[in-house]
Amino acid sequence: MKVYLLSLGVGLLVGVIYSLLNVRSPAPPLVALIGLLGILVGEQIVPVAKQVINGHSLAAAWRQAKCASHVFGMLPGDSDPTPKQAAHPNPLEKTS
């Protein structure tokens, strides 16, 4: 329940900011995408800041917080040695 109330509060705050910027919701696609990018990058500020406070360089903090994989997701050409499908088999799939 706490997460839902927090989400509602953040949504209200974003609505106020949109109103102050004279942007109607739903936002135009480019505005919405830039907003989503801001959310993704903003989520990384706290873990990176913790690493920097602990004495790591910004680049090392970025790597240790695994920000690139969170912000960019799996990029084309990346190979994962342990496929996620093998780790989480489909429970609905019949086995013989």
Side-chain angles (χ1 to χ4, degrees):
M1 181 74 167
K2 184 179 177 181
V3 172
Y4 296 113
L5 292 174
L6 183 62
S7 180
L8 176 63
V10 170
L12 290 171
L13 178 62
V14 170
V16 169
I17 292 170
Y18 270 30
S19 178
L20 293 172
L21 296 174
N22 292 321
V23 175
R24 303 288 2 114
S25 182
L30 184 58
V31 173
L33 287 174
I34 291 173
L36 287 173
L37 177 63
I39 291 170
L40 284 172
V41 172
E43 286 179 332
Q44 303 311 306
I45 290 173
V46 172
V48 170
K50 286 180 182 178
Q51 295 291 333
V52 169
I53 289 170
N54 288 332
H56 295 75
S57 70
L58 183 59
W62 177 270
R63 281 190 305 274
Q64 288 178 353
K66 298 180 181 174
C67 295
S69 64
H70 180 76
V71 173
F72 299 116
M74 185 160 222
L75 297 175
D78 282 354
S79 59
D80 188 2
T82 56
K84 290 181 176 65
Q85 289 178 349
H88 303 288
N90 185 352
L92 300 177
E93 191 174 290
K94 287 187 174 184
T95 56
S96 14

